[in-house]
């Protein structure tokens, strides 16, 4: 989930696309969950509307800048990619009427902060401590800007600032700047793990899943108005003009405590090799990306970098007891593969990047905030994102582990453990510290382009 | 009504299977309000997790519901693992009359918090035709196949929480029981081999 270096393009070759793709409305879907532009910098702006008319006027001027799934990736000359989303309060502010607002799902209406109990974001992760005004009902919209480089990001920042100067009634609540961390030749985050190795492929996009990634997932799992893994689209928010081609995203700003993470590795491993192994056990992959199921004893950087091999594994058959990848490791929780049922209904598309300066190796933590600011995209927050948080990340008894949570980003307060199965006797690390803290979060709806025009055309209540 | 909820007695240390245990449960069905994805989470008791749904059936549908008993018997005979995901101990289906009305009671005892695997359960019920039985109940949402929240709402509205649950071997899971029986069988085999 570090910033975006790898381009991820949708095939334009019509012979490669299945029938379903004919119906994927690429001109209307925002590119965000569909394609990953080659960006090294980003900026998220969180906005509040003083009035509906000001919000609509602002949106009207922005619609043409929003990148669609058909445009993004089609030109190598592009330098910036824009996405817009709204909270439920934001939709209300823009003039969506009560009857229509009531057709949005409960969890989206409540917003992420109100769902803290469900998500398990308690203690230091609780919305009371969130920054940037994101837990406030005044959060109405987000603009996500991905830029080819920092210079382009700065140009766009200025342009939007100038635009906002003309729009008195639209206030910048807060913003976050993101940059990829060097080396830029592969995606990785502040702890040093290679990222973006496993992701769902959407049916009809012509993208070929890498070995082990399973078949393409029905588009209705990510975009409203399409068949999903259970059948035809149903229960869409009304009117359909507003919901069709839209998606939900859960935003999380997660600080990474790099100093604490490195101290932990040193405390539990005497040699650099042992420390690498501990890091791998927490994640389920070596920092090189090599999966523990395929490389249980020794790192294999070539395997980690080889997309034809690095996702080609399962758990039930290849590592049922977790001697390679512990049952509670991050990737084994976030995608239990063949050890869970209905997995195709729990898929998530991850987007986002790293923020804050990297902490050089061998240097004590400087107290600067650094981490990952990420989006989880789906068609149902309660079934996909909230399930992952509630059951996979924060249920202490997941996989009958008894007293454990996700070691990377579960809510940790020193009272949970991590079991590392090993013959003859398993190792248990008691009182895992928190390596991450959730500093902000929100639920957004990313409407399709027609829906954006519909929103811009509304008027204030009758 | 406003009684102070006692702390839940089911801390892990007290989960001793050798000591039968009873637990009185407040009227709400839980000790401390804990949010699940679809509403309050009900506690694990000495008799495991469970639900008791009671709903009035549509007039004249009693035979249709009884007939489903056979359908489900066959479904499980053909595919014994069909319900494995739900980590069940028992299901009980009962029909009874109050005055002129007939009611359906559906009681399930299982090892996972139902809120966690709600969608998996709905998918399974759909596959096995359990929900088709529910169509004979008054107030069951017609669009249940595609509207999980409406299905869940119906279930929650018809859930009657226990006020007392008892376990002769409290908090033991079905998996643990099966493991113990397997071990016993293995021992018996071993003793046979040693003859
Ligand atoms: C600071 C917090 C986090 C860090 C450092 C982190 C890091 C990683 C890394 C390095 C991988 C392995 C690369 C890959 O398999 O693609 C991974 C996989 C994954 N993560 Fe995270 N992650 C974080 C939070 C989250 C959150 C909040 C979610 C969703 C709720 C999530 C969901 C996933 C999923 C679905 C996978 C893929 C698992 C698979 O398919 O095998 N992660 N994460």
């Amino acid at each position: 989930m570090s910033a975006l270096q790898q381009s991820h393009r949708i095939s334009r070759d019509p012979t490669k696309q299945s029938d379903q793709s004919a119906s994927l409305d690429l001109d209307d879907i925002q590119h965000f969950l569909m394609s990953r532009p080659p960006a090294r910098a980003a900026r998220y702006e969180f906005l509040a509307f003083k009035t509906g008319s000001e919000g609509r006027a602002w949106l009207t001027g922005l619609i043409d800048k929003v990148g669609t799934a058909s445009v993004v990736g089609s030109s190598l000359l592009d330098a910036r990619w824009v996405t817009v989303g709204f909270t439920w309060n934001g939709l209300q502010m823009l003039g969506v009427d009560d009857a229509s607002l009531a057709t949005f799902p409960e969890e989206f209406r409540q917003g992420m902060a109100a769902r803290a109990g469900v998500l398990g974001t308690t203690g230091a992760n609780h919305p009371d401590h969130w920054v940037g005004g994101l837990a406030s009902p005044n959060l109405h919209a987000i603009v996500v800007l991905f830029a080819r480089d920092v210079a382009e990001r700065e140009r766009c920042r200025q342009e939007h600032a100038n635009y906002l100067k003309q729009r008195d009634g639209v206030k910048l609540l807060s913003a976050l700047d993101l940059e990829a961390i060097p080396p830029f030749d592969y995606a990785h985050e502040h702890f040093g793990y290679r990222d973006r190795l496993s992701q769902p492929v959407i049916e009809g996009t012509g993208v070929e899943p890498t070995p082990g990634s399973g078949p393409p997932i029905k588009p209705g799992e990510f975009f409203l108005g399409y068949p999903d893994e259970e059948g035809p689209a149903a229960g869409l928010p009304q009117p359909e003009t507003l919901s069709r081609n839209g998606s939900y995203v859960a935003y999380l700003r997660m600080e990474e405590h790099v100093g604490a993470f490195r101290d932990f590795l040193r405390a539990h491993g005497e040699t650099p090799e042992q420390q690498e192994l501990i890091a791998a056990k927490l994640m389920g992959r070596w920092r090189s990306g090599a999966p523990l199921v395929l490389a249980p004893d020794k790192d294999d950087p070539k395997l980690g970098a080889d997309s034809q091999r690095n996702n080609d594994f399962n758990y039930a058959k290849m590592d049922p007891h977790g001697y390679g990848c512990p049952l509670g490791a991050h990737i084994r929780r976030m995608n239990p593969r063949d050890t869970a049922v209905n997995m195709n209904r729990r898929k998530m598309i991850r987007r986002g990047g790293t923020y804050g300066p990297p902490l050089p190796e061998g240097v004590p933590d400087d107290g600067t905030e650094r981490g990952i600011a990420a989006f989880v995209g789906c068609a149902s927050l309660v079934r996909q994102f909230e399930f992952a948080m509630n059951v996979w990340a924060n249920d202490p008894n997941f996989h009958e582990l008894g007293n454990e949570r996700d070691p990377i980003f579960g809510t940790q307060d020193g009272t949970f453990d991590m079991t590392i199965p090993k013959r003859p006797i398993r190792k248990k690390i008691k009182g895992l510290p928190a390596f991450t803290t959730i500093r902000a979060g929100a639920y957004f709806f990313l409407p399709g382009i027609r829906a954006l025009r519909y929103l811009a055309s509304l008027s204030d209540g009758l | 009504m406003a009684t102070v909820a006692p702390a839940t007695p089911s801390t892990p240390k007290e989960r001793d299977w050798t000591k039968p245990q009873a637990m009185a449960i407040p009227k709400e069905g839980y000790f401390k309000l804990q949010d699940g994805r679809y509403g309050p989470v009900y506690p694990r008791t000495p008799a495991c997790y469970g639900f008791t749904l009671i709903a009035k059936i549509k007039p004249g549908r009693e035979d249709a519901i009884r007939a489903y008993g056979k359908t489900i018997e066959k479904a499980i005979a053909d595919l014994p693992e069909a319900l494995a995901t739900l980590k069940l101990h028992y299901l009980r289906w009962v029909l009874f009359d109050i005055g002129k009305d007939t009611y359906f009671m559906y009681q399930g005892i299982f090892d996972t918090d139902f809120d966690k695997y709600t969608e998996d359960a709905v998918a399974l019920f759909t596959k096995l035709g359990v929900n088709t039985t529910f169509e004979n109940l008054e107030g069951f949402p017609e669009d249940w196949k595609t509207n999980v929240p409406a299905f869940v709402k119906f279930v929650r509205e018809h859930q009657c929480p226990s006020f007392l649950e008892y376990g002769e071997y409290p908090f033991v899971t079905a998996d643990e029981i099966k493991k113990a029986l397997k071990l016993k069988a293995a021992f018996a085999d071993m003793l046979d081999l040693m003859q």
Side-chain angles (χ1 to χ4, degrees):
Chain A
M1 280 205 266
S2 53
L4 311 158
Q5 294 99 356
Q6 299 157 341
S7 162
H8 182 81
R9 278 244 219 126
I10 297 168
S11 163
R12 307 272 119 214
D13 176 0
T15 56
K16 276 181 92 179
Q17 301 190 357
S18 68
D19 286 338
Q20 184 77 54
S21 74
S23 59
L24 260 180
D25 196 348
L26 299 179
D27 291 331
D28 199 52
I29 297 174
Q30 293 199 44
H31 74 281
F32 196 63
L33 299 184
M34 197 69 98
S35 56
R36 191 175 250 166
R40 269 190 200 165
R43 178 173 169 85
Y44 308 158
E45 295 196 351
F46 301 93
L47 305 171
F49 305 140
K50 272 194 213 136
T51 65
S53 62
E54 279 294 309
R56 291 188 296 270
W58 167 81
L59 175 59
T60 305
L62 206 77
I63 294 177
D64 287 339
K65 302 203 186 298
V66 174
T68 65
S70 61
V71 170
V72 169
S74 61
S75 162
L76 290 174
L77 298 176
D78 286 354
R80 63 108 184 91
W81 304 272
V82 174
T83 303
V84 198
F86 301 96
T87 60
W88 187 76
N89 290 327
L91 294 178
Q92 183 169 44
M93 200 66 188
L94 287 174
V96 175
D97 65 36
D98 288 348
S100 166
L101 286 167
T103 60
F104 280 84
E106 172 87 18
E107 70 280 5
F108 177 66
R109 298 201 309 259
Q110 291 184 4
M112 188 190 272
R115 305 285 285 181
V118 173
L119 302 174
T121 48
T122 54
N125 290 338
H126 193 274
D128 284 353
H129 311 298
W130 288 0
V131 298
L134 268 72
S136 139
N138 293 330
L139 172 65
H140 294 141
I142 184 173
V143 183
V144 178
L145 168 80
F146 284 135
R148 192 167 52 196
D149 49 34
V150 173
E152 176 64 10
R153 198 245 338 262
E154 291 306 306
R155 186 191 68 74
C156 296
R157 173 224 294 270
Q158 198 50 54
E159 197 179 316
H160 194 226
N162 292 341
Y163 182 52
L164 283 183
K165 270 193 211 132
Q166 308 154 27
R167 302 254 81 90
D168 242 9
V170 180
K171 191 176 137 229
L172 186 65
L173 273 182
S174 62
L176 185 69
D177 287 322
L178 299 91
E179 287 105 38
I181 48 182
F184 296 129
D185 55 347
Y186 74 105
H188 56 113
E189 48 67 67
H190 287 285
F191 296 143
Y193 295 102
R194 181 188 282 266
D195 205 346
R196 306 230 181 105
L197 304 173
S198 178
Q199 58 206 340
V201 166
I202 304 162
E203 191 179 287
T205 55
V207 175
E208 193 64 30
T210 58
S213 300
I217 304 293
K218 294 268 187 285
E221 294 294 319
F222 308 106
F223 304 105
L224 303 188
Y226 295 91
D228 62 26
E229 294 283 330
E230 285 279 292
L236 299 182
Q238 296 300 315
E240 214 183 297
T241 325
L242 175 55
S243 59
R244 195 173 159 76
N245 291 324
S247 304
Y248 297 99
V249 294
Y251 169 68
L252 284 176
R253 167 169 168 174
M254 297 171 285
E255 178 173 3
E256 299 184 270
H257 307 293
V258 177
F261 177 79
R262 290 180 187 162
D263 288 348
F264 178 85
L265 299 186
R266 275 190 291 271
H268 289 87
E270 278 161 28
T271 63
E273 290 75 28
Q274 285 172 2
Q275 291 169 17
E276 278 306 319
L277 181 61
I278 289 290
K281 293 287 183 185
L282 299 173
M283 178 56 69
R285 290 183 184 271
W286 297 85
R287 287 198 270 196
S288 71
L292 278 173
V293 172
L294 298 179
D297 306 315
K298 226 173 114 264
D299 190 7
D300 181 350
K302 276 212 186 91
L303 168 64
D306 181 353
S307 65
Q308 291 306 300
R309 293 191 293 143
N310 65 19
N311 208 31
D312 197 5
F313 61 94
N314 63 40
Y315 298 117
K317 286 180 220 77
M318 297 171 76
D319 189 15
H321 304 291
Y323 291 125
C325 178
L327 301 176
H330 177 62
I331 66 161
R332 194 161 181 163
R333 284 175 178 268
M334 290 297 116
N335 181 0
R337 300 182 183 224
D338 56 343
T339 59
V341 297
N342 297 330
M343 271 305 302
N344 288 356
R345 305 229 71 200
R346 310 281 190 201
K347 296 282 177 181
M348 302 172 274
I349 294 182
R350 296 175 288 145
R351 286 288 179 269
T354 50
Y355 67 94
L359 186 68
E361 209 48 70
V363 172
D365 208 320
D366 53 7
T368 307
E369 190 187 332
R370 53 175 62 80
I372 290 179
F375 299 86
V376 171
C378 54
S380 167
L381 291 162
V382 69
R383 168 165 52 81
Q384 293 158 289
F385 172 71
E386 290 193 344
F387 176 84
M389 295 295 289
N390 179 283
V391 180
W392 288 341
N394 284 323
D395 176 5
N397 203 31
F398 176 64
H399 274 337
E400 264 88 67
L401 286 165
N403 188 44
E404 305 193 11
R405 283 176 163 170
D406 190 305
I408 299 292
F409 89 106
T411 298
Q412 299 286 353
D413 58 4
T415 63
F416 296 98
D417 313 324
M418 165 97 192
T419 306
I420 301 178
K422 197 172 165 205
R423 288 192 197 96
I425 302 173
R426 68 185 187 189
K427 175 174 170 152
K428 187 171 260 191
I429 299 177
K430 289 261 179 202
L432 216 63
F435 300 127
T436 55
T437 303
I438 294 176
R439 302 300 306 273
Y443 288 158
F444 296 101
F445 180 64
L446 305 186
I449 306 298
R450 262 191 303 275
L452 290 176
R453 293 195 199 290
Y454 167 82
L455 288 169
S457 74
L458 292 172
S459 54
D460 289 328
L462 300 174
Chain B
M1 290 259 291
T3 50
V4 178
T8 165
S10 59
T11 53
K13 267 190 222 85
E14 290 164 54
R15 290 183 179 180
D16 172 3
W17 65 268
T18 62
K19 203 172 122 209
Q21 195 179 322
M23 185 189 283
I25 300 160
K27 193 166 180 180
E28 304 71 46
Y30 48 81
F31 295 91
K32 206 171 136 256
L33 178 63
Q34 203 197 329
D35 291 326
R37 287 180 302 140
Y38 292 104
V41 172
Y42 297 109
R44 188 168 176 222
T45 77
C48 311
Y49 288 106
F51 58 66
T52 304
L53 309 181
I54 298 180
K56 202 197 269 192
I57 72 169
K58 292 177 182 162
R61 299 291 179 86
E62 179 171 348
D63 291 344
I65 296 184
R66 285 194 190 277
Y68 270 108
K70 275 281 170 209
T71 310
I72 292 183
E73 179 185 84
K74 177 160 185 327
I76 300 298
D78 293 347
L79 201 67
E81 294 291 301
L83 294 174
T85 6
L86 302 182
K87 300 209 183 291
L88 281 161
H89 289 253
Y90 301 105
L91 291 179
R92 292 222 149 114
W93 289 23
V94 179
L95 285 167
F96 60 94
D97 294 338
I98 299 179
K100 286 203 185 71
D101 298 320
T102 304
Y103 285 80
F104 172 67
M105 180 180 88
Y106 182 6
Q107 203 169 47
I109 295 178
F110 41 88
D111 291 322
T112 51
D113 160 9
F114 192 71
D115 186 79
K116 293 200 156 60
Y117 297 97
T118 302
E119 299 96 351
D120 294 339
V122 175
L124 251 184
F125 288 179
T126 308
K127 216 160 88 192
L128 287 177
V130 173
N131 288 3
T132 319
T133 321
F134 283 18
E135 283 175 352
N136 296 304
L137 304 176
E138 284 193 354
F140 192 63
E142 275 164 27
D143 61 345
W144 60 267
K145 272 186 201 156
T146 53
N147 192 347
V148 173
F151 172 85
V152 174
K153 187 159 167 270
F154 176 87
V155 168
R156 289 203 172 250
E157 279 170 3
H158 291 79
Q159 148 78 350
C160 304
S162 313
F163 67 92
L164 176 75
E165 295 202 351
Y166 172 82
E168 178 68 20
Y169 40 89
F171 301 108
V172 178
T173 66
D175 270 348
E176 285 169 326
I177 293 171
K178 286 196 264 185
K179 265 188 210 159
L181 292 175
K182 252 191 223 157
L183 208 61
K184 189 178 150 202
F187 253 113
D189 284 350
M190 189 182 80
L191 292 177
D192 286 348
L193 289 174
M194 284 166 65
Q195 295 303 309

